[in-house]
Amino acid sequence: MAATLQLCYGKTFKRPFAVAPPNSGYSPKPNPSRIIMCSASSQSKRRYTITLLPGDGIGPEIISVAKNVLNLTASLQGIDLSFQEMAVGGVALDLTGVSLPEETLSMAKQSDAVLLGAIGGYKWDANEKHLKPETGLLQLRAGLNVFANLRPATVLPQLVDASTLKKEVAEGVDIMVVRELTGGIYFGKPRGFGTDENGEEIGFNTEVYAGYEIDRIARVAFETARKRQGKLCSVDKANVLEASMLWRKRITAISSEYPDVELSHMYVDNAAMQLVRYPKQFDTMVTNNIFGDILSDEASMITGSIGMLPSASLGESGPGLFEPIHGSAPDIAGQDKANPLATVLSAAMLLRYGLGEEEAAKRIEAAVLDTLDRGFRTGDIYSSGTKLVGCKEMGEEVLKSVESRVPAAL
């Protein structure tokens, strides 16, 4: 298992807080974050262990497809993958009484990467908080120490007509949302229930960030922007919230380390409006936990379907967590209607960011594009003139493309 998580774009990132490329003339400073961007070519290891967490609802169906795609891609690229499947979420609650069994977390920590399906469902909605499937997901993120969530929202040319926005607005959109994942209001204390001075029942949560939490997500965001179009928009609510005031202060301070990246700031309410007004103005966005949760889902709908979008959650060391951003869709679970492409693309992110296997990642991404080019669609992205298929058949068509297509960038 790799000792340091690798965020790989196919070549090493030049950055002041990481290992500098050979002969770059770059003098690295002390590295507080330990996130290293590197390429597969620097790795001698080609054998990896993947923990699969199918979870609930459509999770088992989409994970099955992604596993098949990973297996075939690995065999064609000279990679040896082994898989271990563990329970999490509602299914784990039913089996063990907790949504994240110790055995699951332990196995995940020992692997090279973790691929998650989906968590939650109607069956457990009325459970107390500590017995909700979603609690297991939060515990998993915290247990793996994955603080940086990367969520791409790219409008594929094959699906531009599926967007709810006008074609001229949606066409060409390519956004990366970098979301802080382990701090903020979802984890802040104090939190709970009580009564106010009038005896009214209240619920309360705390939005809190430490400087180091902001600094480390800022560096991931700047490095991501550096490898894209060199533009970073930091989203906050610094006109109202003290936590956001600190956020803006620290982001601005870190920007001095990245003079090649253009930094802008935007209040979250304006950012939400601008995403649907003129989304092409954004390249890379960085924001806190709750704002990132909301904005990345909004950005996903620009692409036409939340069923198409993957994500990567990365930490300072150890395995990353890769998952589609959609939910468990219990209303269609077991009916062969789910769109597996977000999970397949999450598998591609796993190869690129988690394992440093850039060419294998490109092969999967090219296969997804080829499958769409050949007209295959699940119900969420179906349009007249295309062929409606189920989850399994979509997976089979992707496998055909994996085998027949040469790697190409998404």
Side-chain angles (χ1 to χ4, degrees):
M1 189 176 89
T4 303
L5 184 64
Q6 317 224 345
L7 311 183
C8 300
Y9 284 87
K11 56 183 177 180
T12 306
F13 267 5
K14 293 188 294 182
R15 53 163 294 185
F17 287 86
V19 175
N23 306 316
S24 68
Y26 217 73
S27 299
K29 300 177 183 178
N31 181 2
S33 77
R34 294 300 303 154
I35 291 187
I36 297 176
M37 310 281 183
C38 75
S39 67
S41 61
S42 67
Q43 295 175 280
S44 59
K45 176 177 163 184
R46 303 276 289 174
R47 308 181 75 173
Y48 310 100
T49 299
I50 310 299
T51 296
L52 299 177
L53 305 177
D56 310 316
I58 62 173
E61 300 168 69
I62 56 180
I63 285 292
S64 176
V65 170
K67 179 182 178 181
N68 290 339
V69 172
L70 278 170
N71 259 328
L72 179 58
T73 303
S75 67
L76 294 170
Q77 297 291 143
I79 303 167
D80 182 11
L81 296 182
S82 61
F83 298 93
Q84 50 201 13
E85 187 171 312
M86 303 296 291
V88 71
V91 65
L93 272 171
D94 291 347
L95 288 172
T96 69
V98 294
S99 53
L100 180 64
E102 291 183 10
E103 296 82 357
T104 296
L105 180 58
S106 176
M107 190 71 74
K109 286 181 175 181
Q110 294 173 43
S111 63
D112 293 296
V114 180
L115 184 63
L116 173 69
I119 282 179
Y122 307 136
K123 179 179 180 180
W124 307 281
D125 280 351
N127 286 15
E128 295 182 31
K129 181 183 175 182
H130 71 285
L131 294 177
K132 285 184 177 293
E134 294 78 7
T135 298
L137 177 57
L138 294 178
Q139 291 171 342
L140 179 64
R141 291 170 178 169
L144 293 176
N145 295 312
V146 288
F147 67 86
N149 183 226
L150 276 62
R151 291 191 174 191
T154 303
V155 177
L156 302 180
Q158 298 90 339
L159 299 179
V160 65
D161 291 329
S163 175
T164 54
L165 300 182
K166 294 178 181 178
K167 183 176 181 179
E168 60 268 26
V169 177
E171 198 167 31
V173 169
D174 182 7
I175 302 169
M176 178 70 81
V177 179
V178 181
R179 168 190 172 191
E180 200 291 320
L181 199 60
T182 57
I185 200 166
Y186 291 166
F187 293 91
K189 296 179 181 180
R191 62 188 301 155
F193 300 95
T195 55
D196 64 13
E197 62 274 12
N198 298 317
E200 289 289 336
E201 185 179 16
I202 61 170
F204 55 93
N205 296 86
T206 302
E207 167 75 359
V208 58
Y209 272 103
Y212 82 91
E213 293 177 299
I214 302 170
D215 292 353
R216 65 184 184 179
I217 195 67
R219 290 192 174 96
V220 172
F222 276 107
E223 290 160 353
T224 301
R226 174 178 276 173
K227 286 300 173 183
R228 289 170 55 83
Q229 300 301 314
K231 293 174 58 179
L232 177 64
C233 179
S234 176
V235 178
D236 58 40
K237 193 63 176 171
N239 58 335
V240 176
L241 302 176
E242 283 78 5
S244 279
M245 294 173 193
L246 178 64
W247 179 280
R248 183 171 293 206
K249 175 184 174 182
R250 304 292 292 219
I251 295 283
T252 301
I254 295 294
S255 69
S256 65
E257 301 171 12
Y258 299 86
D260 54 326
V261 177
E262 176 188 337
L263 174 66
S264 61
H265 300 276
M266 192 174 290
Y267 296 143
V268 63
D269 44 351
N270 186 30
M273 179 190 72
Q274 294 295 334
L275 272 173
V276 294
R277 188 188 74 84
Y278 183 49
K280 283 194 282 275
Q281 69 183 282
F282 297 108
D283 174 52
T284 306
M285 305 175 76
V286 61
T287 190
N288 69 10
N289 206 340
I290 189 169
F291 296 162
D293 192 358
I294 296 166
L295 292 179
S296 59
D297 276 11
E298 181 187 9
S300 75
M301 289 313 299
I302 298 171
T303 70
S305 173
I306 200 171
M308 287 296 301
L309 300 185
S311 76
S313 299
L314 310 167
E316 294 173 340
S317 64
L321 174 65
F322 303 86
E323 60 181 304
I325 74 168
H326 59 68
S328 62
D331 55 320
I332 61 169
Q335 300 176 42
D336 194 35
K337 293 181 178 179
N339 183 347
L341 295 183
T343 314
V344 170
L345 291 172
S346 294
M349 293 189 81
L350 181 154
L351 289 166
R352 173 177 290 116
Y353 294 99
L355 306 182
E357 296 289 351
E358 177 70 15
E359 291 306 311
K362 286 181 178 180
R363 189 172 198 126
I364 290 179
E365 292 167 344
V368 169
L369 289 182
D370 181 59
T371 303
L372 294 172
D373 279 338
R374 292 187 290 117
F376 294 97
R377 302 287 190 272
T378 47
D380 58 315
I381 54 175
Y382 175 78
S383 61
S384 178
T386 61
K387 182 179 179 181
L388 180 64
V389 297
C391 181
K392 290 180 181 178
E393 187 173 353
M394 181 64 89
E396 290 166 0
E397 294 302 328
V398 172
L399 288 173
K400 291 178 185 176
S401 294
V402 166
E403 195 159 24
S404 64
R405 301 288 288 186
V406 295
L410 183 65

